[in-house]
C-alpha cells in the first residue's frame, strides 16, 4: 500500500510485508509476517523516481495484516495492525516527521481463541 508522505512534496511511503506459508494440518494458509516501509522520491532520476530508503521494519513478527486511514485533520495517517492470534493492536502515526508508534492497546476478547473466527483489518466511516 502506498500513500503520499505527509508534508513532503513528491515523496511517497510504500508499506509492504512478507507472507509465510504455515502448513499445520488441517489448516494451510499464508500468514502475514513483518511490516516494512520504504520511501520513494518521485522527483529523483529525472522524474522516474528512486527509492531513497528501503525496508525500514515496523514489526518483525507475525501479525493480522494492517490498515491505513487518514487522520481527522487530514495532516497525516494512522496505520494499525493486530498481533497474530491476539487482541493486542499497535497504532502508528504517520506524519511529516516519519512513522512513529503512537500506542499499543488490548481490545476486547481474543477472537482467535475460537478457531472458527477469522478476519482482516479494515475501517468503517463514522458519521
Amino acid at each position: 500500500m502506498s500513500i503520499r508522505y505527509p508534508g513532503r512534496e513528491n515523496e511517497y511511503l510504500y508499506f509492504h510485508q512478507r507472507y509465510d506459508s504455515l502448513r499445520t494440518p488441517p489448516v494451510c494458509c499464508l500468514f502475514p509476517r513483518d511490516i516494512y516501509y520504504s520511501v520513494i522520491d518521485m522527483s529523483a532520476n529525472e522524474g522516474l523516481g528512486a527509492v531513497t530508503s528501503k525496508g525500514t521494519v515496523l514489526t518483525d513478527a507475525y501479525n493480522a495484516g494492517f490498515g491505513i486511514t487518514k487522520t481527522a485533520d487530514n495532516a497525516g495517517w494512522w496505520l494499525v495492525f493486530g498481533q497474530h492470534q491476539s487482541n493486542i493492536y499497535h497504532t502508528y502515526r504517520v506524519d511529516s516527521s516519519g512513522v512513529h508508534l503512537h500506542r499499543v492497546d488490548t481490545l476486547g476478547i481474543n477472537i482467535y481463541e475460537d478457531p472458527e473466527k477469522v478476519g482482516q483489518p479494515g475501517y468503517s466511516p463514522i458519521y
Side-chain angles (χ1 to χ4, degrees), residues 55-82:
T56 303
V57 178
L58 283 184
T59 180
D60 61 357
Y62 288 103
N63 58 77
F66 67 90
I68 297 175
T69 190
K70 282 279 216 180
T71 58
D73 62 5
N74 281 329
W77 298 85
W78 294 112
L79 181 144
V80 179
F81 72 86

Side-chain angles (χ1 to χ4, degrees), residues 11-85:
E11 288 190 0
Y12 292 80
L13 288 164
Y14 173 58
F15 293 92
H16 45 104
Q17 64 187 136
R18 178 170 70 103
Y19 283 77
D20 280 350
S21 176
L22 298 178
R23 300 180 186 278
T24 308
V27 178
C28 176
C29 312
L30 292 175
F31 289 94
R33 179 175 177 129
D34 311 335
I35 299 174
Y36 308 95
Y37 69 91
S38 299
V39 179
I40 302 165
D41 182 353
M42 289 306 297
S43 66
N45 197 17
E46 297 179 8
L48 295 175
V51 176
T52 58
S53 173
K54 183 177 179 181
T56 303
V57 178
L58 283 184
T59 180
D60 61 357
Y62 288 103
N63 58 77
F66 67 90
I68 297 175
T69 190
K70 282 279 216 180
T71 58
D73 62 5
N74 281 329
W77 298 85
W78 294 112
L79 181 144
V80 179
F81 72 86
Q83 286 184 201
H84 179 65
Q85 296 187 340

